[in-house]
Every structure is written in C-alpha cells, then in structure tokens.
C-alpha cells in the first residue's frame, strides 16, 4: 500500500508564552529547526502542510514560507481541533505515500491566550446530544473521569498521581513549559477547577510550534537511515455511530477505533510499544486512555498508575515529555510535538528522560468535535 | 507515480442565499447529491476532506457527517483562501493515489454575507510587500487590470465583455445564482466599484456547496467507467520568489507556475483543452488568466474576448457555467463547483450549455495569500 514514509528531521521550540511574536514567526522557528535537523534547505521541500486551529482561515502556512523562503510549493492549511498538528502530519504522510513527493514539511503552530482551556476552538458551535456542545472542556473531562470512578472505583488520588508523574517527567525535558516537581499533596490541594481535576491536573495553555520533515524511502536512504524514524501506522478517526461510548464518544470510542486500526496497520500489539505520548489534556483523560489504547485492561488504569507502570522506568512509560499537563498544549502544535518526543527516544537522543532501548512508540491526540489521530513510529536502523 | 484517480460522483447545490440553513446543512446537501450521483452510500466512503474558509476551525466536516451519517472515518478540514475547495479535492486525490483508500469524499462549502467581496477571509492579516495586505479585493484586481491596460492597451469595453459573456452563459445553467443577460451598456454603466470593474464585473457573494466522490481505478472499473472522469493533473502552488510578477504575484506568477506544472503532469498543451473554468473573481482577472493559463499569447487577451474565442461555441469556451461573476463565488465551494462544471461537460450532461465533444477540461482557482490550484480532467470512457 503505497510508499514507506520516514521522518528524517523533527523538532519543536521550547513551549512558552510569546505574545510579542507573530504566529508565523513561531511556526517558522520550528520549520527551520526541523530542516536543520534533517540537514536540508527550504529549497529541498516539495510541499507543506500547516496545522493551526485559531487562525485556520488565515493562510498561516504561506505566511511561514514568506518568512523563511517562498519557492512556490503547494501549501495546505488544515484544522482538526486538538488533532490539528497530527492531521497536518498525516496529510503530509499521504502525499509521500502517493509517490507524488519525496520531501515534504509538516508544521504545527498555535498561539493561545492565558488561562485554562475553555470551550474555544474545536468545540465551538458544535451541537450534539450529550456533552461537548454545552459544557466547557474542564466539565467534559471531569464528567468522563467521574464516570470511570463510578464504574471502576477510581480515586481522586489516582487521577492526581497522573499529574505528579507528568510534572516529574517534565523536569527532565528542557523544552517543556514547566520543569517543576508537583508533589501529590500540592496537586490535590490546588484550586479545584472541576472535580476531580484541580488546576494542576489541567493542561497548560502555551504558545508553541513543532515541525517534521517526511521523506520517501529513496530519499531516506540518500540521507542516511541512522536517525530516521519509520511511520508504521498513521490513523485518523471520527466518531463511530455504532458501538460508541455514549458518555464520551469523542474521547473513548474515537480513540478505541483509532487504536484498533493503528495496531492493525502496524501489525503490532500494545505490548510491543515501548513508550506512548497520549492526550492528557486533563489528568482524568490519561486514565481513560490507558484503557482506550489497550495499555491495560478496562478497569485497571487506577491500578496501573498506582504501580508506577506508566512512569519513566516502568512497564510502558507514558508522557515522558511532561505531557500536555506540564510540557504544555498549544493546540495545533501538540500532534507534531508528540511525534517529536517519540522520535527523540527512538533516536536515543532523549538525554536524562531516555526510555532505554526504545524501538517502537505511539502518539495519540484527540480533538473534540471529533478527531482522533494515532501514529506508531519505529526506529529505522 | 501512484494510483490513477477517478471522479465517479460530483454535484453542487444551486448557489443562492440561505441564511436560515446551517453551514453543515448546506455541506450535507452537496455530499448527499454527490453520493447519489455515484450510486454510493455514506457507508462506502472511507475518508473525507472538507474545505471551508470562514469557519475553518469549527470541525465543519465532522458536523456534516453528524447530519448524514457518522461512520468513524477520517475527516480533515482544510482552508486555503479561494483555493479551499480545490485543496480539499487535491488532498482527497492524494489519499487515493497513496493507495490508502479506494473511495473518498471531498466537500466544499461556504456561507457568505451579502455585498461585494471585501478583504475578509484569506487576505486577513497577511502582510507582504505590494498589494494584498493593505487593499481590498476590488482594488487589488482593479490595479491588476489597469496594469494589463497599461502594457497592452486593454480597454474598459474588453473587460466588460467578460461579464457580458459569463452572464450570458449563466442563463443556460440552472445551478447558477443568476440567469439574466447583462448587455454591454448595462455592464459598463453599472455602479463603478473600482475602475475598470463595475458592480456587474465583480463576483457574486453567495452561499453554496459542492462535493465529489473520488475513487481508485479498481473501484471505478467496478462502478462502470461510462460517467467516470479521470484526474489527469492536480497541481497546487504558492508564490514563487524567483521570476515572479511583482504587481500580482498571487494571481499571475502563482497561476503561471501551476499551469506549467499541470500541463507537464497531464502531458498535454493548452491547445488540447476543450473548456476552462477559471477564477473570474473580477472581470479583469479573467483577462489576465487567458494569458496566465496559456489560452492565448501575452497581450492577446483583449483580442481574444473581442473575437468571442472564449464564448460558448468559440475556440476555447471559458466559464460556461457563468463563472464567479454570475454563478456565484462561495469561497470554499468554488474549487469543487468548477470541477463539477467541467465533469458535467466531459460526461456530455451539460444540456443547453454543453461544449460539444469535450474530452479534456481545466479548472483553475486562486486564493490570495497565496494558493493556486489547477486540475486537468479527462473523459474516462
């Protein structure tokens, strides 16, 4: 099925708040970093996909090229709520698979406001039975967590431990927004946003950008396979009407469908995966996704966090980057930033937070509205 | 280079003003028409690309599927100024070419306000040397026309004849917003918007939607080739820095680059093309594009319109649908509506406006900011 696709350059800026930079400036920084990482020039790029949510109608990709070099290449701007960056990456992947291009660039960039993640962006104006139309994001993910607690007895403390773990991971990641430990009592005693998620259990609104250079097998061989990462699966889903979770269709059914398809495409199972970057937009979400992605059986996510299985050094490290909870969550950039993190481990370049011997990794994002993207990536050489 | 791609279902709604319908409702109407045209059901569709500019961050594609059937398929929302619909079509084309899918849907939809096409949408916030950042659309295309007049002596009357021709064509197209003749004196004496374009020489702001079902060769054979249309070339460009037109880089250089690449990909020349739907957002623009697309030599566009060569029955009929000037220009829908028009002629189903014996057609859109998309389509059987 089409050509094999490799990532040969990938990078992100340190997430933060940059009110004095333009969106295009932020995006161009990541684009140049990724090109530099690949050892390529802007003239080598044959097409570009740009993921940005908040200014999706504003030709952001073209603006970036106006800053770093206009060569006349095709530029597509795409938006898919919190799956925006991953969607840009996937469209770029399709274009290489089609044999139409050998070298393409995917950029994800977002400039957020301050404060907590509200109902803005992907969820705006969407009317559907249930949750996402009428509730803010914190309420949506609080209710999802409480439904898990009702079914399986998951505790406030278990949810809070997700945040303790991810904040700890972020102390080892110089590109995370925060590098601070948040002990369990601090997480549990932080301002309550929507039970059971306190302020330290909500993702951090930051500005950020990430970019990847995707190439054909032919080009990857030319450039040298040593640091190349092979895309083993690229899956995007929306809400399935049949067999869907009525409480959280966007989050649960969408992710389960994507995970099933991703494992099928890659020809691997959850037990083969060495690390996962998943969509911890709230601490409760990470708990749900352990089960949605098959990292543990249904109902065992609470036990999994208690046992430290998802911590660095554990059975299946999750969000070693610090995750959305501490690295930060610039919506359009997150999907590619996750792929950067996994790629960095597969290359053995993750420094103090390296997952030793990582050969296969998974990234996951969900956007309410609905879009779930999963990528399975493999060390190429 | 990848799989051959065919259009087996394509349709559009009659363009108009639908303030009481939602954007998703408008989009779903075209999606259902295209599926019906293909003889397929929503369950047959494996992925969807949705082009919409004004609500690009609002998960429009998913909203459409919520109305007509949620099956969990990948949905990508994309935006590229006035090339938005064509960009969605092209991304869908890439996905078939990649061999990842056999049947995909591309939808373009837009809900516009009343009035003349202003600076909203794609041009917003874009800062570049020259025109598009600081001038409204009518001023941009007026200046481009005057530059043509300065170089080649093109007259007000010649520009006005474009509008007379396209309005005449639209009287033969039941899906056009207007079906009224506009004699030359009426066009020239209409309210002056920005010299030389009068109100009747500006595209009509309307709501609209169009959709296409794209399939692999294998699937096209299963469905029967009789009404299939083959995609011979699909090209998207942005501003080339080198050898670009300094007055209208978005419009002129972008289009010339795309035309060159499209003829190369299709392995044909301009003289092989039987009809063209091009981006007549203003009457002046159509004159420029005769030359940009190679339909005549530089400086001969005025003579070409005088001689009736671009009228139905002429050497190379242009905008037989009525064009943006009379059919209307719902930004995100226009790119796919153009492909519908050309496909309808290739299928021999264009009724009173049929270009007899049409075997090869071209569609062209440009979005300021910059994006030019050109497709070359061929009668399959």
């Amino acid at each position: 099925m089409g050509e094999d696709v490799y990532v040969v350059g990938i990078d992100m800026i340190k997430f933060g708040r940059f009110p004095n930079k333009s969106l295009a400036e932020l995006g161009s920084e990541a684009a140049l970093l990724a090109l530099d990482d690949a050892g390529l020039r802007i003239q080598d790029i044959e097409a570009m996909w740009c993921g940005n949510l908040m200014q999706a109608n504003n030709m952001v990709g073209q603006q970036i090229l106006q800053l770093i070099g206009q060569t006349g290449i095709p530029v597509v701007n795409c938006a898919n709520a919190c799956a925006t960056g991953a969607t840009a990456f996937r469209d770029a992947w399709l274009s290489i698979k089609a044999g139409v291009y050998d070298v393409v660039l995917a950029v994800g960039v977002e400039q957020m406001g301050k404060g907590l993640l509200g109902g803005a962006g992907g969820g705006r104006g969407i009317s559907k039975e249930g949750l996402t139309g009428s509730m803010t994001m914190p309420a949506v993910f609080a209710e999802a967590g409480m439904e898990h607690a009702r079914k399986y007895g998951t505790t406030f403390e278990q949810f809070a431990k997700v945040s303790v773990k991810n904040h700890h991971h972020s102390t080892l990641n110089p590109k995370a927004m925060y590098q601070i430990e948040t002990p369990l009592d601090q997480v549990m005693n932080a301002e309550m946003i929507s039970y059971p998620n306190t302020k330290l259990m909500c993702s951090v609104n930051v500005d950020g950008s990430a970019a990847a250079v995707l190439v054909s097998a032919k080009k990857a061989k030319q450039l040298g396979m040593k640091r190349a990462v092979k895309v083993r699966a690229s899956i995007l889903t929306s809400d399935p009407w049949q067999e869907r979770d009525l409480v959280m269709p966007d989050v649960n059914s969408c992710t389960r469908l994507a995970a099933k398809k991703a494992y099928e495409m890659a020809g691997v199972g959850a037990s083969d995966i060495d690390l996962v970057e998943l969509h911890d937009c709230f601490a409760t979400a990470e708990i749900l996704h352990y089960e949605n992605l098959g990292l543990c059986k249904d109902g065992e996510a609470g036990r999994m966090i208690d046992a430290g299985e998802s911590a660095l050094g554990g059975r299946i490290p999750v969000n070693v980057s610090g995750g959305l909870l501490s690295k930060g969550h610039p919506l359009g950039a997150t999907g590619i930033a996750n792929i950067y993190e996994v790629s960095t481990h597969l290359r053995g370049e993750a420094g103090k937070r390296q997952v030793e011997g990582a050969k296969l990794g998974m990234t996951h994002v969900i956007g309410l509205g609905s879009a779930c993207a999963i990528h399975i990536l493999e060390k190429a050489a």
Side-chain angles (χ1 to χ4, degrees), chain A residues 219-241:
Chain A
K219 190 73 186 179
K221 276 173 202 147
Q222 279 175 21
L223 293 167
M225 282 287 188
K226 205 175 159 205
R227 293 177 71 245
V229 169
K230 186 174 180 178
V231 182
R232 284 284 297 268
S234 177
I235 296 292
L236 180 65
T237 59
S238 57
D239 275 356
W241 180 262

Side-chain angles (χ1 to χ4, degrees), chain A residues 141-159:
Chain A
F141 285 92
E143 183 151 325
M146 291 314 292
E147 177 65 12
H148 197 272
R150 189 189 65 74
K151 276 169 85 174
Y152 301 120
T154 324
T155 64
F156 177 32
E157 185 173 316
Q158 286 171 331
F159 290 124

Side-chain angles (χ1 to χ4, degrees), chain A residues 92-269:
Chain A
W93 170 81
L94 282 169
S95 80
I96 298 281
K97 244 191 150 37
V100 174
Y101 304 114
D102 283 308
V103 185
V104 301
L105 179 68
V107 177
V109 59
E110 202 78 49
Q111 212 157 18
M112 310 282 292
K114 277 196 171 192
L116 291 169
L117 192 63
R124 185 171 58 118
I126 293 175
S127 156
K128 53 189 296 190
E129 77 279 25
L131 301 169
T132 58
S134 53
M135 290 165 74
T136 60
M137 298 279 175
V140 168
F141 285 92
E143 183 151 325
M146 291 314 292
E147 177 65 12
H148 197 272
R150 189 189 65 74
K151 276 169 85 174
Y152 301 120
T154 324
T155 64
F156 177 32
E157 185 173 316
Q158 286 171 331
F159 290 124
K161 280 180 179 172
V162 169
S163 192
V164 174
K165 168 181 73 72
N166 292 357
H167 278 91
H168 170 65
H169 288 163
S170 72
T171 64
L172 308 172
N173 181 5
K175 296 203 172 186
M177 170 73 177
Y178 294 119
Q179 285 107 22
I180 43 169
E181 300 282 358
T182 56
L184 185 61
D185 64 332
Q186 189 184 340
V187 171
M188 295 176 76
N189 290 317
E191 183 185 353
M192 182 57 67
I193 301 300
S194 188
Y195 189 84
N197 288 318
T198 68
K199 192 168 182 177
L200 287 173
M201 295 159 74
C202 301
S203 54
V204 188
N205 271 17
V206 294
D207 307 330
S209 62
V213 179
L214 293 84
V215 304
S216 62
K218 188 182 75 182
K219 190 73 186 179
K221 276 173 202 147
Q222 279 175 21
L223 293 167
M225 282 287 188
K226 205 175 159 205
R227 293 177 71 245
V229 169
K230 186 174 180 178
V231 182
R232 284 284 297 268
S234 177
I235 296 292
L236 180 65
T237 59
S238 57
D239 275 356
W241 180 262
Q242 294 178 318
E243 298 181 35
R244 69 180 184 154
D245 179 292
L246 285 170
V247 177
M248 288 290 284
D250 280 344
V251 178
N252 291 331
S253 320
C254 225
T255 296
R256 283 178 188 241
L257 179 63
K260 179 171 173 286
K261 286 178 175 285
Y263 291 131
E264 276 170 15
M265 184 180 278
V268 303

